[in-house]
Amino acid sequence: MSETVRVRFAPSPTGEPHVGNVRTAIFTWLFAYVGNVRTAIFTWLFARRAGGSFVIRIEDTDQARTVEGAVEQILDSLRWLGLDWDEGPDVGGPYGPYIQSERLPRYREAVEELLADGHAYRCFCSPERLDQARKEKQRLKQPPGYDRACRDLGNAERQKLDKSGTVPVARFAMPRDGTTKLNDLIRGDVSFENALIDDFVILKSDGFPTYHLANVVDDHAMEISHVLRAEEWLPSTPRHVLIYRALGWEPPLFAHLPILLAPDRSKLSKRHGATSVLEYRKMGYLPEAMLNFLTLLGWSLDDHTEIMSRQQLTENFSIERVGKSGSIFNVEKLDWMNGQYIRSASPDRLAGALLEYWKAYPPPEIPDLPGEQQVLGIVPLIQERLKTLADASPLIQFLFKPEAKYDPAELVQKGMDLDRTRAGLEASLTSLEGLPAFDSETIEQALRSLADELGVKAGQLFGSLRIATTGQRVAPPLFQTMEVLGRERTLSSVRGAIARL
Ligand code: GLU
């Protein structure tokens, strides 16, 4: 094993192509579920904390399930979260290629070696024969898996099959008894009964290796020091350890991350609304909130710190503080955290995030996107009111329309009538026209004393003015809105409202 930390994130760009078009397939593809991205985050944090290398490797040996376009989606999710990689399919590196389908000769070489040493054997069984054997094992209540028929073939029989033209698979010859032990950095000592693991396939008849073999060959060739991956891979690990041993290689260290649970403590899945990280992006979550939230699913700094910047996370992450038990994915907490991040963002950051979001998902309410300066001016209006970036465009759409659109009846507030509403708007117009300055404080003072003078509730007067200037019942704070609209536009909307009454 190498001295330095080299870790990898090894997604499989597979999906369920049958569930509709490719796009749907990509969005439902297993990797994209937040759980897999969390694996990427932990691996990245570990690399950055240790000053090591973070490697991306695409595991596309299951050709039938490989979905076109999925690799780009995977890389996009990581980029969005700001997880940068040192080596990978797009950037290359000294251990490439980083796509398994481009590394086939290496796997074949390893298989040849295992076959030659008797650690593997060729299996000629047809799917029908395997099916029969499986049923027979079920009947005898034996552990499932291959019945090893080809392992015990005599030489003559093997030669005959070799010549028969049937393309064999290669299977690993599991030890028939004993246990395989490993020390997991999170779960401690774990051991597995060899007899319960069948002689699994390492090379398929299409010439592609299986995950188990390719994973071992590549982690060794790429000098990976630590493997961080989801707990569901733990049962595969004894297989890997045995392949390492058979090839005379030292396995890396393993850390299996706790499973993600839904609030009802069942395994997190699509049915809980959990979806791909890019969907969360589309819903308007900030990447820094998502990174923080996902890191806390299984890791903690202490028993109370929740909001942590990227830098704090990379400075403090450690495998020792990754828990063993499942962590609950709670969307309400994500919402809360996203709100925290939005409210504490600098105006620059929030303006940048909004623009980036609108560019990626053009809002129908704002056909022509505003420039950065204009967005900076809008930010103070909405910063306190956003739960997600998606909330912004409906709130401020009036700014992008030549004039406010509404039903004039809406101008008349509860407890008011037409005449009093008109009088209020006319008095407001005079007051606003005469203001020495047109900033929110001056406007507020003037309109509050006006409401007193007129003997109407402030809310009634402001309600009419809100409709007049924005056409919306729900809008940013009135006085700031007027300031952003400017005197001229504010006055002309109030005049317009009076005319429409
Ligand atoms: N290709 C596997 C996956 O999709 C990687 C598992 C591992 O990290 O070994 O999750």
Side-chain angles (χ1 to χ4, degrees), residues 8 10-12 59 211 215 229 233:
R8 81 324 190 254
S12 297
E59 302 206 323
Y211 155 70
N215 193 265
R229 63 184 168 202
W233 295 106

Side-chain angles (χ1 to χ4, degrees), residues 130-380:
L130 292 174
D131 198 45
Q132 249 172 26
R134 190 175 50 78
K135 286 190 184 133
E136 181 64 9
K137 287 193 103 181
Q138 252 169 13
R139 197 181 63 81
L140 297 172
K141 301 209 168 17
Q142 289 175 353
Y146 181 57
D147 65 357
R148 297 180 169 156
C150 288
R151 180 163 172 173
D152 305 322
L153 288 178
N155 269 343
E157 263 172 306
R158 194 183 303 273
Q159 275 164 14
K160 211 170 91 195
L161 283 164
D162 269 340
K163 284 189 200 120
S164 68
T166 311
V167 184
V169 301
R171 288 182 183 275
F172 189 77
M174 277 295 295
R176 293 183 200 253
D177 45 34
T179 54
T180 299
K181 296 194 174 82
L182 60 109
N183 182 277
D184 185 271
L185 295 175
I186 295 168
R187 322 212 71 82
D189 288 329
V190 222
S191 69
F192 298 85
E193 294 284 331
N194 293 334
L196 298 180
I197 303 176
D198 79 336
D199 289 356
F200 53 97
V201 174
I202 52 176
L203 189 73
K204 295 177 279 185
S205 54
D206 63 3
F208 276 75
T210 55
Y211 155 70
H212 301 303
L213 182 86
N215 193 265
V216 167
V217 168
D218 286 348
D219 281 344
H220 174 74
M222 296 181 178
E223 296 190 32
I224 297 303
S225 59
H226 299 71
V227 167
L228 278 72
R229 63 184 168 202
E231 191 183 318
E232 54 247 47
W233 295 106
L234 188 61
S236 296
T237 310
R239 293 181 169 89
H240 302 172
V241 169
L242 288 167
I243 301 178
Y244 280 107
R245 280 191 205 148
L247 289 164
W249 299 338
E250 181 78 22
L253 298 173
F254 294 101
H256 286 90
L257 307 174
I259 161 176
L260 291 191
L261 301 172
D264 65 3
R265 300 203 73 86
S266 63
K267 194 172 182 252
L268 188 69
S269 76
K270 252 193 295 188
R271 150 177 93 79
H272 301 105
T275 171
S276 81
V277 159
L278 294 178
E279 286 287 300
Y280 285 99
R281 176 186 184 192
K282 194 169 171 190
M283 288 188 261
Y285 292 93
L286 286 175
E288 48 270 47
M290 200 74 205
L291 182 77
N292 190 159
F293 171 75
L294 288 175
T295 306
L296 289 183
L297 294 180
W299 178 83
S300 59
L301 178 65
D302 48 35
D303 59 3
H304 59 274
T305 312
E306 304 232 77
I307 303 282
M308 275 168 282
S309 67
R310 169 185 310 273
Q311 193 183 346
Q312 277 170 301
L313 294 173
T314 47
E315 279 170 5
N316 290 292
F317 184 80
S318 68
I319 290 186
E320 290 76 52
R321 289 201 61 88
V322 175
K324 279 199 193 54
S325 52
S327 14
I328 296 184
F329 184 96
N330 182 344
V331 179
E332 278 141 40
K333 178 153 176 201
L334 172 61
D335 286 341
W336 168 80
M337 201 171 261
N338 202 53
Q340 296 286 317
Y341 270 93
I342 288 185
R343 276 185 290 287
S344 63
S346 69
D348 274 338
R349 169 63 191 133
L350 190 52
L354 280 169
L355 264 177
E356 202 182 297
Y357 179 69
W358 289 335
K359 274 184 197 141
Y361 312 102
E365 301 93 348
I366 312 178
D368 294 313
L369 287 187
E372 215 176 308
Q373 281 309 313
Q374 199 184 350
V375 182
L376 264 174
I378 296 171
V379 159

Side-chain angles (χ1 to χ4, degrees), residues 101 103-115 202-204 206-209 213 217:
S101 57
R103 301 172 61 84
L104 299 184
R106 293 161 207 258
Y107 311 126
R108 265 180 228 139
E109 208 178 289
V111 172
E112 287 309 323
E113 197 179 323
L114 291 169
L115 285 169
I202 52 176
L203 189 73
K204 295 177 279 185
D206 63 3
F208 276 75
L213 182 86
V217 168

